[in-house]
Amino acid sequence: MKRIGILTGGGDAPGLNAVIRAAVKTAILQYECEVYGVLDGYDGFLKDNGVIPLSLKDVSGILPRGGTILGAANRGNPFARKIMQDGKEVTVDKSDELINSMMQSGLDALLVLGGDGTLRIAHELYQKGIPVIGVPKTIDNDIGGTEVTFGFDTALNIATEAIDRLHTTAEAHHRVMVLELMGREAGFITLHAGISGGADVILIPEIPFKFESVIDKIRQRIERGSLFSVLAVSEGAEPLGGTQVFPRGGDEMYVPRLGGIGHSVGEHIDKQGFETRVTVLGHLQRGGTPTAFDRWLATRYGAAAVRLAARGGFDRMVALRGGQITDVTLEEALAVPRRVDLNEDAVITARGMGISFGDE
Ligand code: F6P
């Protein structure tokens, strides 16, 4: 292994720079490789000067930095790119061009730091001859084959702090506070932050909720003397028999944008006569410095990905299982996405402590 490439695809997540730093240091110091960074996800292979050399100096000081020094793009599907042709927007398959460019770059391995979509493209590229290694990234923690993705812990801590802060003002004003959190199809951020922050109601995509049940919980709390309530609501939560809320639809390039369920829940509660305020935490969950846990995990993932590449373990993804770094095939990682298991102890614990999931 002489030349190794790194790209960061999809939305960013705290810890990307920590992975890049660990991979660059390991590749140079342990394997004496040349390392190249691909700018803006897969797009870097399709534009001039989109692949740049990375030295030890380039990664110095980036461990605590949020974002990614390589840039990210969650529109970069080379199998379906939109271009203007004869004045019209058309979708074209740029994968052959991408593969040619990858081949020309002479990389012996390409580390792909990404979520579900980016890793799926990596798996397809492997089938066309590109030696890819996956590193699981997403604040949503929804990738199969691993217990944790990097970025999740940081988002969880930010969300928990937000719940703490809403708690004090909710209590002071005898109000209902609704906090909308990220998590497209998986409610891990909302469940973990909801429990860690002591939310009274947790609404997640895995458990369709009933508005009446949410209202009942708020009423019960008032009857017991708690004049305020805090709700943690995942952006992907949906009412029983209803649908998720999308302010913008998707297309071949972009997934549909979620958001708005917090306001919908807030309006229902307000209409029942309970003074309510809604906060949407949004991209604050993705920005800024990673927690110590995410730096620790990201560093181990980055170094392990390089070792895996050196062993020729392509089409595989580094993973955490039982506290140990291991690796799984990309096929296995992508087969079943991670979702909150309704029988897991966290859900049972929450229910036992009177937290409502809006379903009873
Ligand atoms: O998948 C990570 C995530 O943060 C989701 O939780 C959220 O729905 C989405 O990305 C937001 O993406 P964008 O940055 O494109 O708005």
mmCIF file of all heavy atoms in Angstrom, residues 74 138-140 182-184 235 283 286, ligand 1:
data_model
loop_
_atom_site.group_PDB
_atom_site.id
_atom_site.type_symbol
_atom_site.label_atom_id
_atom_site.label_comp_id
_atom_site.label_asym_id
_atom_site.label_seq_id
_atom_site.Cartn_x
_atom_site.Cartn_y
_atom_site.Cartn_z
ATOM 1 N N ASN A 74 -23.765 16.323 0.564
ATOM 2 C CA ASN A 74 -24.723 15.217 0.539
ATOM 3 C C ASN A 74 -25.615 15.267 -0.687
ATOM 4 O O ASN A 74 -26.734 14.833 -0.688
ATOM 5 C CB ASN A 74 -25.525 15.061 1.846
ATOM 6 C CG ASN A 74 -26.150 16.342 2.300
ATOM 7 O OD1 ASN A 74 -26.058 17.341 1.614
ATOM 8 N ND2 ASN A 74 -26.787 16.313 3.452
ATOM 9 N N THR A 138 -22.274 9.217 11.523
ATOM 10 C CA THR A 138 -23.564 9.916 11.516
ATOM 11 C C THR A 138 -23.984 10.201 12.949
ATOM 12 O O THR A 138 -23.789 9.361 13.834
ATOM 13 C CB THR A 138 -24.707 9.121 10.836
ATOM 14 O OG1 THR A 138 -25.956 9.705 11.219
ATOM 15 C CG2 THR A 138 -24.753 7.663 11.211
ATOM 16 N N ILE A 139 -24.553 11.376 13.140
ATOM 17 C CA ILE A 139 -25.061 11.679 14.484
ATOM 18 C C ILE A 139 -26.281 10.813 14.797
ATOM 19 O O ILE A 139 -26.604 10.604 15.945
ATOM 20 C CB ILE A 139 -25.407 13.173 14.658
ATOM 21 C CG1 ILE A 139 -26.547 13.606 13.735
ATOM 22 C CG2 ILE A 139 -24.176 14.045 14.458
ATOM 23 C CD1 ILE A 139 -27.173 14.940 14.138
ATOM 24 N N ASP A 140 -26.956 10.307 13.755
ATOM 25 C CA ASP A 140 -28.195 9.545 13.985
ATOM 26 C C ASP A 140 -27.947 8.156 14.583
ATOM 27 O O ASP A 140 -28.866 7.542 15.112
ATOM 28 C CB ASP A 140 -28.956 9.361 12.666
ATOM 29 C CG ASP A 140 -29.534 10.660 12.123
ATOM 30 O OD1 ASP A 140 -29.295 11.708 12.732
ATOM 31 O OD2 ASP A 140 -30.209 10.612 11.076
ATOM 32 N N MET A 182 -32.734 15.961 15.868
ATOM 33 C CA MET A 182 -32.479 15.242 14.617
ATOM 34 C C MET A 182 -32.637 13.733 14.822
ATOM 35 O O MET A 182 -32.629 13.242 15.947
ATOM 36 C CB MET A 182 -31.108 15.588 14.073
ATOM 37 C CG MET A 182 -31.082 16.925 13.348
ATOM 38 S SD MET A 182 -29.496 17.214 12.543
ATOM 39 C CE MET A 182 -29.887 18.644 11.547
ATOM 40 N N GLY A 183 -32.715 13.042 13.714
ATOM 41 C CA GLY A 183 -32.913 11.589 13.726
ATOM 42 C C GLY A 183 -33.975 11.258 12.708
ATOM 43 O O GLY A 183 -35.161 11.351 12.989
ATOM 44 N N ARG A 184 -33.528 10.918 11.512
ATOM 45 C CA ARG A 184 -34.474 10.749 10.401
ATOM 46 C C ARG A 184 -35.405 9.557 10.629
ATOM 47 O O ARG A 184 -36.611 9.694 10.634
ATOM 48 C CB ARG A 184 -33.721 10.519 9.084
ATOM 49 C CG ARG A 184 -32.864 11.674 8.645
ATOM 50 C CD ARG A 184 -32.389 11.459 7.236
ATOM 51 N NE ARG A 184 -33.496 11.557 6.310
ATOM 52 C CZ ARG A 184 -33.970 12.713 5.840
ATOM 53 N NH1 ARG A 184 -33.435 13.849 6.203
ATOM 54 N NH2 ARG A 184 -34.972 12.722 5.000
ATOM 55 N N GLU A 235 -37.244 14.510 14.828
ATOM 56 C CA GLU A 235 -37.759 15.103 13.573
ATOM 57 C C GLU A 235 -38.493 14.067 12.721
ATOM 58 O O GLU A 235 -39.343 14.397 11.914
ATOM 59 C CB GLU A 235 -36.603 15.694 12.762
ATOM 60 C CG GLU A 235 -35.592 14.641 12.329
ATOM 61 C CD GLU A 235 -34.434 15.171 11.499
ATOM 62 O OE1 GLU A 235 -34.402 16.351 11.165
ATOM 63 O OE2 GLU A 235 -33.540 14.348 11.182
ATOM 64 N N HIS A 283 -29.061 22.099 13.336
ATOM 65 C CA HIS A 283 -27.661 21.786 13.044
ATOM 66 C C HIS A 283 -26.708 22.094 14.181
ATOM 67 O O HIS A 283 -25.514 21.771 14.069
ATOM 68 C CB HIS A 283 -27.239 22.492 11.749
ATOM 69 C CG HIS A 283 -27.905 21.888 10.554
ATOM 70 N ND1 HIS A 283 -29.191 22.187 10.204
ATOM 71 C CD2 HIS A 283 -27.466 20.968 9.663
ATOM 72 C CE1 HIS A 283 -29.532 21.480 9.137
ATOM 73 N NE2 HIS A 283 -28.499 20.734 8.780
ATOM 74 N N ARG A 286 -24.912 19.088 15.010
ATOM 75 C CA ARG A 286 -23.848 18.567 14.141
ATOM 76 C C ARG A 286 -22.570 19.390 14.211
ATOM 77 O O ARG A 286 -21.496 18.911 13.835
ATOM 78 C CB ARG A 286 -24.343 18.550 12.690
ATOM 79 C CG ARG A 286 -25.427 17.551 12.396
ATOM 80 C CD ARG A 286 -25.115 16.750 11.150
ATOM 81 N NE ARG A 286 -24.801 17.548 10.007
ATOM 82 C CZ ARG A 286 -25.584 17.712 8.939
ATOM 83 N NH1 ARG A 286 -26.770 17.120 8.896
ATOM 84 N NH2 ARG A 286 -25.211 18.433 7.931
HETATM 85 O O1 F6P B 1 -28.403 12.151 8.866
HETATM 86 C C1 F6P B 1 -27.886 13.158 9.640
HETATM 87 C C2 F6P B 1 -28.805 14.343 9.649
HETATM 88 O O2 F6P B 1 -28.279 15.273 10.557
HETATM 89 C C3 F6P B 1 -30.255 14.009 9.971
HETATM 90 O O3 F6P B 1 -30.451 13.806 11.331
HETATM 91 C C4 F6P B 1 -30.975 15.189 9.376
HETATM 92 O O4 F6P B 1 -32.287 14.872 8.985
HETATM 93 C C5 F6P B 1 -30.156 15.483 8.168
HETATM 94 O O5 F6P B 1 -28.855 14.995 8.405
HETATM 95 C C6 F6P B 1 -30.095 16.958 7.837
HETATM 96 O O6 F6P B 1 -29.407 17.114 6.648
HETATM 97 P P1 F6P B 1 -29.054 18.529 6.010
HETATM 98 O O7 F6P B 1 -27.788 19.001 6.657
HETATM 99 O O8 F6P B 1 -28.873 18.239 4.581
HETATM 100 O O9 F6P B 1 -30.181 19.466 6.301
#
